[in-house]
Amino acid sequence: MHNKEYTAKDIYVLEGLDPVRKRPGMYIGSTGIDGLHHLVWECLDNSLDEAMGGYCYNIEVAILADNKIKVSDDGRGIPVDKHALTKKSALETIMTTLHAGGKFGGDAYKVSGGLHGVGVSVVCALSKYMRAEVSRDGFSFFQEYSKGKVKTSVKKIGTSRKTGTTIIFEPDPEIFKEISFDEKKILKHLRQQAYLTKGTRIVFKDERKKEVKKYSFYFEGGIASYVKYLTKDTISRHDSIFYCSGEKENVFVEASLRYTEEYECYEESFANNIHTVDGGTHLTGFRSSLTRTFNDYARKNEIIKESEDNLSGEDIREGLTAVISIKIKEPQFEGQTKAKLGNPEAKSIVDQVVSEHLTDFLERNPQDAKAIIEKCILSLKARKAAKAAKETILRKGAMEGLSLPGKLADCASRKPEDSEIFIVEGDSAGGSCKLARDRRFQAILPLRGKILNVERARLDKILSSKEIRALIIALGTGIGDDFNIEKIRYHRIILTLDADVDGSHIRTLLLTFFYRYFKPIIEKGYLYIAQPPLYKIQTGKDIKYAYAEQEKNDIIKKLKNFNIQRYKGLGEMNPSQLWETTMNPENRILRQVQIEDAKEADRMFDILMGDDVSLRKKFIQTYANEVKNLDI
C-alpha cells in the first residue's frame, strides 16, 4: 500500500477557477467566519488524505504572525512533473484548476476527504497570496500564486532528504470582510481529526503573540480515546469502552461507545474524516445494530422476559455517547456541505461489523452488559410513564376544550410569525408586563417560582410539574415524540427575568429545559433573552437607562446632579418604563439564543445543572474572579 506511485498521471482535471471567485459561497459554504476556516480545513484535508493512506505521520498547522496560515506535512509531496493534459506541472494544475487532484480517479488515494472534493485550488482562488513548497525526489520546489493565478513558475530551491508539502496562504480581504482566525475553533477541529486519524501527530501553533502557543495531538486509541474524552465529565455506567473496527466490501468501519448516567444521547458520525452532522446511512446502520443486538442479548440472558416489550431505539440511546467513522472509496453526500452520507451500502456494512463485535463485547463483559441493559430498561419504564403523563395532559386539555393555561395572557394575533410570548417570573412582573404590552402581538406567561431542574429528571417527572405543563401547552408544539415545530404559536419566545441571582437561576433552568426538550426552537432562532435595563439615571425630568455597567459609567461621567436607581426586578418599573426599555421592538435589546457548539453546551449544562457537585465547585473556583454584578 505504501509503495503506490503518486505522479502527474494520477491528477485528474475538470475545470478552471473563475467560478470560485464569482460565487465563493457555493464552494466554501459562506464568506463569513465559517467559510474562512474552511480554507484551513481544505489545506488540512490534503495532509489528512496522505495520513489516511499511510504516507504521512506528522502535520503542523500554524497561524503566522502576519495572520497567514501555514499547513505542513511529511507526506509524499505533491508531484511537480509535467501533466500530460495541461502541459503544466502537476503542482500548478492542482493549485489552479478546480476539481483537479488525486481523489478523482486512479489509485493515488484509496479514500479521501475534502469538503466538496474541490480541494486546495479553492484556497488558491480565494487567497491574496499563496505559496506551495514541496519536497520530493531528493529536491525542494516552490511556486507562488495570487487570487487563483500563477505568480511564479515552479522553481527548484535545492536538495532535500525529506518529503512533504507546505502550503502558506493569506485570505483575500476582497472576499472575506473579517479575517480573524479562531484558535478555539481550529483546536477543536484538529483534536477531532487527530482522534479520527490515530497514530498521526497534529501540532498547532499560534504565532500571533510574542509568547507562541503550541498544542500537540496524538492518539493511539483513535475514536475510543475520543469517546473517553467526550465522557470525561460524566459518571460512566460501565468500565470498558466498546471499540470495534472491521472491513467489508472495501469499506472500513470503526465504532466506539460508552453509556453514562446522563439522560441525553450524543452521537458523532464521520465519513472519510468529514463530520456528517446530519448523520446518514452509516449512523442508521449503527443504530439498528445496537437495537437488535441489545434486544437479542437481553432475551437470550432472560433480562427481558418473553411477555415484556422489546427495547426501542429511543430506550437504547438514552445516556449513550458514540462515535462512528467509516472510510469509503466513493462517498455520496447529500447537500452542499456534506452534512449527510447517502451511500446505501454503508447501512448494512456498519450494521454487520458493529453487530458481530458488540455481541462478542457483551458476552465477554457480562457486568458491563447488565449495567447497560438495566439502564435501557429503566428508560423503557420512564418512556411508558411519560407517555401516560402526556396522555393525561392531552385528555385534560381535551376535557377543557384544549384551553390555554389560565395564567396566559394571549395576544390577538394568530399568526406565529407576528406573535411573541414573554415568559416572566411571578405575578408581580407578569402584571406589569400585561399592562405594558401591545396585546395585538405580545403574549405574557408568568411562571410561579423556580421550575423543575430537567437535567436531573426524566420526562415523566417533568410532565408532573404544573409550570412546565403550562409552558408546553402555551407553546403548542407538544413534547417528546409528539413534538412538532410547525405547531408553534410564537416565533419569538422571550425569557424576561430579573437581573439578580434568582432571575439568573430561573433563566438557566429555562435554557436547560429548552436545550433538552425544545432544541429545534433554538435552532430555528425562536428563543431570545430580554435585556431589561440595570440602571435608571435621572436629572430633573430627563431619564436615561443603562443596560450595562460600562454604559452607566459613560452616562454619569457627563452629568453633575443626578439620581441613580439600580433595578432589581421588572416589578420595580411602571408599565410605560417597561414598554419603553424592554418590550418596545423599536428600543429593546434582545439576545438570540444560539448553539455554537452542541457538545460544549451539553457539557456546560451537565456541570451547572447536573448531580456532580465537585464539577460545579471546580467551575466556580475557576471563574469566580470574572463575576460582575453578583447580588448577595
Side-chain angles (χ1 to χ4, degrees):
M1 184 182 180
H2 298 182
N3 297 326
K4 284 249 164 69
E5 278 192 33
Y6 181 32
T7 60
K9 66 175 171 25
D10 291 306
I11 307 305
Y12 288 73
V13 182
L14 301 182
E15 60 179 283
L17 271 189
D18 288 339
V20 183
R21 287 189 64 81
K22 283 180 185 158
R23 302 188 69 180
M26 273 184 66
Y27 298 89
I28 55 166
S30 78
T31 54
I33 291 298
D34 283 346
L36 180 75
H37 286 79
H38 268 311
L39 301 184
V40 185
W41 312 157
E42 284 289 1
C43 290
L44 176 67
D45 283 336
N46 274 9
S47 299
L48 289 168
D49 290 341
E50 287 285 280
M52 280 194 270
Y55 307 108
C56 162
Y57 300 95
N58 294 283
I59 299 169
E60 186 179 290
V61 177
I63 308 176
L64 304 180
D66 52 4
N67 225 17
K68 291 189 179 85
I69 293 285
K70 178 180 172 185
V71 180
S72 310
D73 66 53
D74 60 356
R76 293 169 292 178
I78 296 172
V80 290
D81 48 328
K82 193 169 278 190
H83 192 277
L85 183 64
T86 63
K87 305 292 187 256
K88 297 170 186 170
S89 75
L91 176 63
E92 185 176 322
T93 302
I94 284 173
M95 293 296 165
T96 61
T97 315
L98 189 61
H99 297 308
K103 305 169 188 179
F104 295 98
D107 296 317
Y109 290 106
K110 195 172 181 184
V111 294
S112 66
L115 177 63
H116 307 292
V118 292
V120 76
S121 60
V122 163
V123 186
C124 183
L126 303 178
S127 291
K128 178 182 168 185
Y129 167 83
M130 186 170 187
R131 178 184 172 102
E133 295 173 5
V134 172
S135 294
R136 61 176 287 146
D137 307 323
F139 295 98
S140 286
F141 307 85
F142 85 92
Q143 188 172 29
E144 292 181 335
Y145 320 86
S146 178
K147 302 179 183 180
K149 307 288 185 212
V150 172
K151 277 181 76 178
T152 62
S153 57
V154 176
K155 292 181 179 171
K156 193 181 281 187
I157 304 168
T159 59
S160 175
R161 290 183 180 179
K162 297 180 194 167
T163 62
T165 304
T166 296
I167 303 289
I168 298 167
F169 72 89
E170 182 181 355
D172 186 354
E174 287 177 22
I175 304 287
F176 302 96
K177 299 297 171 251
E178 186 187 349
I179 298 174
S180 172
F181 290 105
D182 183 341
E183 181 188 290
K184 217 170 159 187
K185 198 180 187 83
I186 294 173
L187 277 173
K188 184 192 171 200
H189 188 82
L190 297 186
R191 179 188 286 111
Q192 195 180 63
Q193 293 301 316
Y195 280 122
L196 292 164
T197 322
K198 61 179 174 183
T200 303
R201 186 176 302 282
I202 302 180
V203 173
F204 172 69
K205 285 182 187 171
D206 190 344
E207 299 178 5
R208 289 176 293 186
K209 291 182 182 167
K210 275 186 181 177
E211 196 180 320
V212 174
K213 287 185 179 177
K214 184 177 176 181
Y215 301 85
S216 184
F217 300 114
Y218 177 85
F219 305 107
E220 279 292 348
I223 63 168
S225 300
Y226 193 23
V227 167
K228 188 178 181 182
Y229 167 75
L230 291 171
T231 55
K232 72 180 187 325
D233 292 329
T234 57
I235 300 161
S236 295
R237 184 82 188 181
H238 54 102
D239 295 332
S240 311
I241 292 177
F242 167 74
Y243 169 81
C244 73
S245 65
E247 191 169 346
K248 282 188 191 302
E249 298 168 37
N250 287 327
V251 178
F252 179 70
V253 177
E254 283 183 284
S256 184
L257 66 85
R258 179 186 241 174
Y259 279 84
T260 69
E261 295 295 359
E262 302 302 312
Y263 298 136
E264 65 278 0
C265 164
Y266 187 77
E267 296 163 313
E268 281 194 19
S269 62
F270 300 86
N272 295 4
N273 283 34
I274 296 165
H275 186 193
T276 43
V277 288
D278 294 335
T281 49
H282 52 337
L283 184 58
T284 306
F286 173 78
R287 287 175 174 176
S288 60
S289 165
L290 249 60
T291 307
R292 191 181 60 257
T293 306
F294 281 131
N295 276 304
D296 288 351
Y297 180 87
R299 291 216 177 272
K300 184 182 164 189
N301 291 276
E302 297 184 343
I303 304 170
I304 295 177
K305 303 287 183 283
E306 270 187 46
S307 58
E308 293 173 332
D309 288 348
N310 261 354
L311 297 165
S312 73
E314 189 186 337
D315 303 327
I316 281 160
R317 286 197 293 280
E318 185 182 288
L320 171 71
T321 297
V323 177
I324 303 92
S325 173
I326 73 163
K327 308 282 197 295
I328 188 165
K329 176 98 188 209
E330 290 181 5
Q332 296 160 20
F333 292 105
E334 295 174 17
Q336 269 290 84
T337 51
K338 296 195 172 181
K340 192 172 185 181
L341 186 73
N343 295 62
E345 70 276 21
K347 181 178 181 291
S348 59
I349 290 168
V350 171
D351 190 333
Q352 287 170 49
V353 170
V354 174
S355 294
E356 285 167 21
H357 289 85
L358 188 57
T359 302
D360 185 56
F361 173 84
L362 297 174
E363 297 290 355
R364 286 171 184 269
N365 301 278
Q367 289 306 110
D368 290 349
K370 190 167 182 280
I372 292 168
I373 286 164
E374 280 174 356
K375 163 99 175 166
C376 298
I377 290 169
L378 211 58
S379 172
L380 169 68
K381 288 176 179 171
R383 181 168 57 87
K384 286 184 171 177
K387 191 181 177 191
K390 274 192 291 186
E391 282 168 359
T392 305
I393 289 174
L394 290 172
R395 269 202 307 277
K396 190 169 179 285
M399 283 160 63
E400 294 168 3
L402 286 170
S403 62
L404 292 164
K407 57 174 76 180
L408 171 71
D410 206 5
C411 56
S413 171
R414 288 293 167 265
K415 291 181 179 175
E417 60 273 20
D418 297 338
S419 307
E420 54 190 40
I421 183 169
F422 289 82
I423 298 168
V424 300
E425 171 203 352
D427 293 335
S428 162
S432 297
C433 289
K434 282 175 191 175
L435 290 169
R437 70 180 175 140
D438 183 333
R439 68 175 305 280
R440 289 174 302 170
F441 67 97
Q442 292 179 324
I444 311 293
L445 179 67
L447 298 176
R448 193 165 289 137
K450 292 176 181 175
I451 70 160
L452 183 74
N453 179 3
V454 302
E455 191 71 17
R456 302 182 199 173
R458 280 192 172 85
L459 191 55
D460 54 322
K461 189 180 175 192
I462 290 162
L463 292 172
S464 66
S465 159
K466 203 167 121 189
E467 302 302 307
I468 285 178
R469 284 207 310 272
L471 181 53
I472 294 165
I473 293 167
L475 294 179
T477 58
I479 192 168
D481 295 344
D482 306 319
F483 179 83
N484 183 353
I485 192 82
E486 300 301 319
K487 292 186 177 176
I488 198 161
R489 301 181 67 247
Y490 313 94
H491 278 192
R492 282 178 301 283
I493 299 154
I494 304 163
L495 309 184
T496 314
L497 288 313
D498 293 344
D500 59 9
V501 171
D502 279 347
S504 297
H505 189 202
I506 294 165
R507 187 185 305 115
T508 307
L509 288 165
L510 283 165
L511 286 171
T512 308
F513 177 60
F514 274 92
Y515 181 77
R516 292 295 180 221
Y517 291 98
F518 290 121
K519 201 184 280 184
I521 287 176
I522 303 176
E523 288 165 347
K524 284 272 190 183
Y526 296 163
L527 186 63
Y528 296 84
I529 295 170
Q531 207 164 352
L534 287 173
Y535 297 98
K536 173 183 160 191
I537 303 154
Q538 189 164 0
T539 50
K541 290 184 178 177
D542 186 35
I543 295 173
K544 286 186 167 61
Y545 297 98
Y547 294 82
E549 202 70 27
Q550 187 58 50
E551 191 181 358
K552 175 203 77 173
N553 295 338
D554 292 344
I555 291 169
I556 61 178
K557 268 181 204 169
K558 299 168 189 170
L559 303 173
K560 287 182 182 172
N561 298 319
F562 60 86
N563 287 319
I564 187 162
Q565 181 186 353
R566 164 82 155 94
Y567 287 123
K568 288 292 180 80
L570 300 172
E572 292 180 19
M573 280 185 248
N574 65 44
S576 65
Q577 291 173 337
L578 195 51
W579 164 255
E580 198 55 36
T581 62
T582 312
M583 300 179 77
N584 181 354
E586 299 291 319
N587 302 333
R588 70 189 181 190
I589 297 171
L590 291 184
R591 287 182 293 162
Q592 192 177 51
V593 178
Q594 294 176 328
I595 306 166
E596 280 293 317
D597 180 338
K599 188 58 194 170
E600 185 56 27
D602 201 86
R603 192 181 73 85
M604 198 49 64
F605 281 122
D606 285 339
I607 290 170
L608 296 175
M609 311 303 285
D611 288 323
D612 195 331
V613 178
S614 65
L615 283 175
R616 201 152 35 252
K617 184 180 176 185
K618 187 180 168 188
F619 179 85
I620 291 165
Q621 286 169 339
T622 305
Y623 295 103
N625 292 334
E626 296 176 28
V627 174
K628 293 183 178 71
N629 292 328
L630 180 65
D631 293 294
I632 297 170

